[in-house]
Amino acid sequence: MTEDRRILDFYLFEKFLKLAKSTGMKADIHIKYFMKNEKQLLRFLFSLSLVLLIGACNQIEPEPKVSELSEISTGDLKSINENDLIHLSSIFASILDNPDVLNEFYGYSRLEGNEGELEFSLRRVFETENDLISRKKSSIVSVFKNQEKSLRTQSSSYDSDFFIDFINQNDIEVLAPYLARNFSIEEIDELTISWWTQEMEDEGYRKDPNWKGETPAFKVKLGENRSLDSILEGLENQTLEVFMVSDEYAMENPTIVFGAFGQGLYERSFEKKGINRENLSLTNAVPFNEGITCAEVLPTDVVRYHLPNFRILDNTRGWPSGNFITFWVAYGAYSLNSSGVPSLGFNVNRLVHEKKINRGDFGWKTDFLAQPILTHWHDSNISIQIIIGYQRSNHVLTQTLTSVSVNPTTGVTTNSQQTVSQGDTMSFGSQTWYRCAEINGGHKIDNGLGLYGGNAIWQFTGRDGRVQFTLEPRLTRL
């Protein structure tokens, strides 16, 4: 080993210790790993320097944490090495110039279940090495692996095996909420490449409970065939600007975000699911939607309670995450035993669990619930309670739900209660509705928000946004 080389190694080692100490890292753990591979040490030093630069440009004094509802930390959130995530984002910035790779990215917006939003699991792509759209070998995988061998990327910073392991171990996903919706692939001449970590979101909400989300990013022009080395050098010497992006920016500029979002994109099934018809089949049935009062409902009539329309008016999490909605209904459960003796129980049904609505999609939806709220609202069930929640990390929703029932044999009224709890969830709100009031036309009375489809618009307002919906009883007489 030459004297110059020993000096360089000592310089790198000393620089690593200083950077590790400045960020509070446990240097003794990382030294053993990185000193085995100078290539990984160089990559780490560059990435860590970039993280420090971004942090220095965005320092804000922390604000006191606001505690609402039953909010407690759920803990054990998976952390990710942001240094390597920046480096991975840079690799994709260099290969998205390839038309086959960009086409494959866009293809995921056409999968059933994505509803025009570009999002997919990179881990699935690299594990299967298949393009789910073309059913052929993935261009993403091929170009990613071959890039290391290409003449224009003789890079000490590129280690495809290391980054494939990084993708798989951290379940890296890709989100681009507005890319396919707002831009055709033919009109794109530049891309904004961004990255996200859970720590960014946690820090944002600590500083401001009403934080709307933003992520660091840089921009590359397509057609320049820019190598990974030139991108890394541009980030290091700041000729390639790092800036913060949010919804407003991404709506106007094609933007792709990489991160361990935990949205379960690997497990998502893209097969179209039909409406659940269980307990809905009635022969020779004629629907009566109006004109019958509660007193005129026959014992043989079936009263279903529907949610015909639903929408969100705000994004419930910071950029770039989607909106995940959960819906519960609490009601008295009337039943007859084998001897025909009636009894009352109490149910709390979770009708949907973290059902996704695309970021920025604030339109009315007619199929949000794939079945009625109640398949039969029996006359023994005086009231029901509805609660709607949304996904939010580090919070636990806990709420007691109530339903009022009357025993059809004794006439005794019973208040039934049950507590529901769900992690990583906050509440938009809850409310009680009464059977006879709804059948008698209460669902058509404007409560200040107008009508939609002939029914009154209801609204719940949570800390992070609003939901609106309509309700409707539908009576079926045999």
Side-chain angles (χ1 to χ4, degrees), residues 364-410:
W364 284 106
K365 305 192 179 332
T366 59
D367 59 351
F368 183 76
L369 295 184
Q371 60 184 13
I373 299 172
L374 294 178
T375 56
H376 180 32
W377 197 344
H378 193 269
D379 59 3
S380 63
N381 306 330
I382 296 174
S383 73
I384 64 170
Q385 185 175 356
I386 292 172
I387 179 172
I388 304 176
Y390 58 95
Q391 185 189 75
R392 171 55 66 82
S393 299
N394 300 327
H395 299 84
V396 174
L397 180 148
T398 302
Q399 183 163 339
T400 299
L401 303 184
T402 302
S403 175
V404 181
S405 303
V406 58
N407 190 304
T409 301
T410 64

Side-chain angles (χ1 to χ4, degrees), residues 106 116 177-184 187 247 250-254:
Y106 254 80
Y178 306 109
L179 183 65
R181 280 190 273 169
N182 293 7
F183 310 95
S184 67
E187 68 179 315
D247 279 283
M251 289 177 185
E252 303 293 333
N253 301 273

Side-chain angles (χ1 to χ4, degrees), residues 181-410:
R181 280 190 273 169
N182 293 7
F183 310 95
S184 67
I185 193 169
E186 294 79 15
E187 68 179 315
I188 294 180
D189 59 2
E190 62 182 13
L191 280 174
T192 298
I193 305 298
S194 186
W195 60 94
W196 176 97
T197 67
Q198 183 63 54
E199 287 78 9
M200 291 179 189
E201 182 171 288
D202 293 344
E203 183 181 5
Y205 284 122
R206 278 195 298 268
K207 295 172 182 175
D208 178 7
N210 299 313
W211 183 70
K212 300 303 181 184
E214 59 179 8
T215 53
F218 60 88
K219 188 184 295 187
V220 292
K221 283 194 172 293
L222 301 180
E224 290 185 343
N225 293 320
R226 191 159 186 173
S227 69
L228 171 62
D229 278 347
S230 69
I231 292 173
L232 295 178
E233 290 169 5
L235 291 173
E236 186 173 21
N237 61 31
Q238 300 182 49
T239 57
L240 194 58
E241 178 190 4
V242 176
F243 54 96
M244 306 304 287
V245 302
S246 60
D247 279 283
E248 291 75 13
Y249 176 90
M251 289 177 185
E252 303 293 333
N253 301 273
T255 303
I256 297 175
V257 191
F258 297 86
F261 300 101
Q263 293 200 5
L265 298 179
Y266 188 97
E267 294 80 12
R268 180 182 295 180
S269 172
F270 292 103
E271 296 178 3
K272 191 170 184 178
K273 297 179 180 179
I275 294 177
N276 182 359
R277 299 291 181 179
E278 184 179 359
N279 297 326
L280 300 186
S281 177
L282 292 172
T283 58
N284 302 319
V286 178
F288 289 79
N289 289 325
E290 55 185 79
I292 295 179
T293 66
C294 188
E296 297 171 328
V297 175
L298 302 178
T300 55
D301 291 343
V302 175
V303 179
R304 302 184 188 122
Y305 200 44
H306 287 257
L307 184 138
N309 305 101
F310 182 89
R311 68 175 176 179
I312 60 173
L313 295 179
D314 310 277
N315 290 309
T316 57
R317 283 184 66 180
W319 156 267
S321 298
N323 307 283
F324 296 86
I325 310 300
T326 302
F327 193 108
W328 293 267
V329 59
Y331 62 98
Y334 169 84
S335 63
L336 296 173
N337 65 18
S338 58
S339 302
V341 177
S343 63
L344 286 176
F346 183 63
N347 282 343
V348 177
N349 280 0
R350 190 173 64 185
L351 299 179
V352 294
H353 177 237
E354 295 189 346
K355 185 172 181 178
K356 183 175 183 291
I357 296 177
N358 284 345
R359 190 166 189 83
D361 181 1
F362 304 140
W364 284 106
K365 305 192 179 332
T366 59
D367 59 351
F368 183 76
L369 295 184
Q371 60 184 13
I373 299 172
L374 294 178
T375 56
H376 180 32
W377 197 344
H378 193 269
D379 59 3
S380 63
N381 306 330
I382 296 174
S383 73
I384 64 170
Q385 185 175 356
I386 292 172
I387 179 172
I388 304 176
Y390 58 95
Q391 185 189 75
R392 171 55 66 82
S393 299
N394 300 327
H395 299 84
V396 174
L397 180 148
T398 302
Q399 183 163 339
T400 299
L401 303 184
T402 302
S403 175
V404 181
S405 303
V406 58
N407 190 304
T409 301
T410 64

Side-chain angles (χ1 to χ4, degrees), residues 135-160:
R135 307 296 180 181
K136 297 179 182 178
K137 186 172 179 62
S138 168
S139 296
I140 294 173
V141 175
S142 298
V143 175
F144 192 96
K145 289 182 176 180
N146 292 334
Q147 185 78 343
E148 191 171 16
K149 304 172 186 178
S150 69
L151 294 176
R152 68 181 181 87
T153 313
Q154 299 298 328
S155 172
S156 61
S157 303
Y158 199 102
D159 184 342
S160 61

Side-chain angles (χ1 to χ4, degrees), residues 41 51 60 122 150 162 173 182 189 220 316 328 335 347 381 414 424 426 452 456 459:
L41 177 58
V51 172
I60 302 176
L122 268 182
S150 69
F162 174 87
E173 299 173 336
N182 293 7
D189 59 2
V220 292
T316 57
W328 293 267
S335 63
N347 282 343
N381 306 330
T414 303
D424 290 332
M426 292 185 71
Y452 189 82
Q459 178 171 297

